[in-house]
Amino acid sequence: MRVLKRAFQFILRREVRLYQNPARVKDFHFKVHPSVSQAVAQNKPVVALESTIITHGMPYPHNLSTANEVEAIVRAEGATPATIGVVEGEICVGLTSYELDRLARSKSPLKVSRRDLPYAVGKGLSGGTTVSATMIAAHRAGIPVFVTGGIGGVHRDGQNSLDVSADLTELGRTPVAVVSAGVKSILDIGRTLEFLETQGVCVATYGESKDFPAFFTPNSGFSSACNVRSASEAAELIASTLSLGLQSGLLIAVPIPEEHAAAGQQIQEAIQTALTAVGSEGVTGRDVTPFVLQKVNELTQGKSLQANIALIHNNAKVGSQIACALSKQMSEKTSKCQAQHPGKPPNDSEVVVIGGINVDFIAKGKTKTLHFGQTNPGSVCQSFGGVGRNIADSLSRLEKTPLFISATGADANSDAVFNHCKHMNTSGVARLEKQNTATYCAVINDNGELSLGLGDMDIHQQITERYVSQFEKQISSATLVCLDGNIPVSTINYVCSLAGKHNLNIWYEPTDVEKACKPFLSDAWKSLSYSSPNLAELCMMNKTLGLTVPEELPASLDEILTVAMALSRPLLENLHCLVVTVGPDGVLLCGQHEAGSVDLQPRKQKRKRQLCALHYPALTVTPEETMNVSGAGDSFAGALMAGILQKKDTDSCVRMGLLAARISLSSPHPISPTLSLDSVDPSKVQAPKWPTPGFVWLD
């Protein structure tokens, strides 16, 4: 068994939960406008827009008026615009009117590509984001559709100069759909399409033809790999790309409207003249495109600018329609899984999850030192968590919608929670007057260091035995019941007592070391079937039972696995299976032997059995790919449960969990909105060769 990749410590360790270690939140230099974050959280359509068209594509005031017009078109189509730019070192997703005006008037703004982001942020500079930088920010914010005028490409004579736009490599590694009028016609379009093919980027023309447009003209003489005839078809293509987990984007090329294509020939002739001037005047690199566009505008007496604005307007309209279609398709996919009527508990839930809901607020200061007792400049972002909520969310997206039993206050935070969780069965969540929804607020300085953390989790104690007993019928008939450690000991004991009467399979998720002991304070633990502790939590379980545990946790992999198996053995006298997460070293399954593996399927009855253990290594997730670490462990648990309920074999169940965790790590949300059965199906997802898990007998 080999030592696992560093990424797995993000996937399964409890220490990475947002409310436990907010100092690890990574989005310190990103600011998402509230209208954008709210729309993304509610799975409503959002369209990302770049800002180099404002800073470098057009003169003032045409640039500002065009930006405002484009945003108005997006809103008119029913989507939320999110213009992206860099303002004083902060990557803003959704510029305010003041920020738009400031960039439009700027005399020497920076042109910010992927390469320039660290410099712009580090120096506190302002500038317009190119296609590549905008894709990065859009993906970070959870926006799958991005509209622009035209993308960069391979420059003419690029085979000698190696002048290739970073837009192309970004399309090969960032899963965002780019809607554009093709490639700027000043470039080598043939080589650009060849380069995109090498990068594995799907290129589709929007319309009845596969003809690939050349910005100012509808036909470049080259063809796309495919075409999509409508916004709905385009949305289906995007959804399939995202669900496959390929981590590459796609390009949807929209031909310029017919009424503006007539000027194309005159513009093309002007482009040739401008390109000649590039060589004679010694213009190179990133200055070529703005130089040529300005020259062409002069030569065509403004016709190219008019055509440019027209195609951008058209792209905004088409891109917004695609974003709306994608949102609708995703909503329909999740809503068809719902088995409930509002306010009426269903009688046939296969899974019941009982646990906590949190609303998290992360306040990040803009200065290294925060001054207490006064107002400090900063930004505040909101997310939704809670172990029980996250697991229920994961199961819902994997078409195993559970009855979720929890409690919130009757307050604004509760409204936000229910709005965010519309795809879930929340009929078991109590809204209590004169109570506060569980919240956590972390105050972080400019370096990301935690200055102060405050939590109000008292409402979890209102998930009482008396309240939960209202759902006894649903709990007693469920195939699997999941409890998180946030709920009171008396509630845990009550549910465990039902297990004895109805032969239930109960999964206990400890949530942290202090709460791991709750079922083990009495004989309630003997009614558990599954538990998913980390090594420290497993030690606490044994210690609570009066068993010997090591004074210090081991460091080497072999010692960690040896201790984990030794501590699991006495608990398996009653538990069916233990899923032990061992930090950066992977996951260890301990339980009943079945055909060379651990039997994960719910047991019918307790019986004498042979015990074994399997150690699974992790999928690689680089630090650059990691966007959010607050829900990966819960994504893993939810997908593992979903695999068990689908009666899949053990390897498939664990791989589903690992794929779900990887998706969570690459998403700005604890549970990714793109999580689906297809996205965690090992047979459909492109992944490295799965290593063989290490097998050990426990008896």
Side-chain angles (χ1 to χ4, degrees), residues 354 481-485 487 491-492 495-496 506-510 528:
I354 309 173
V481 179
C482 176
L483 310 177
D484 88 20
I487 64 178
T491 305
I492 294 173
V495 177
C496 287
I506 298 178
W507 186 303
Y508 182 62
E509 168 53 63
L528 301 177

Side-chain angles (χ1 to χ4, degrees), residues 23 62 64 83 97 114 135 152 157 251 302 342 383 402 409 482 493 571 599 610 648:
H62 296 292
L64 181 59
T83 303
S97 56
R114 169 185 273 268
M135 287 182 71
D157 196 40
L251 177 64
S383 63
C482 176
N493 292 344
L571 303 189
D599 181 14
Q610 281 189 304
K648 293 185 177 292

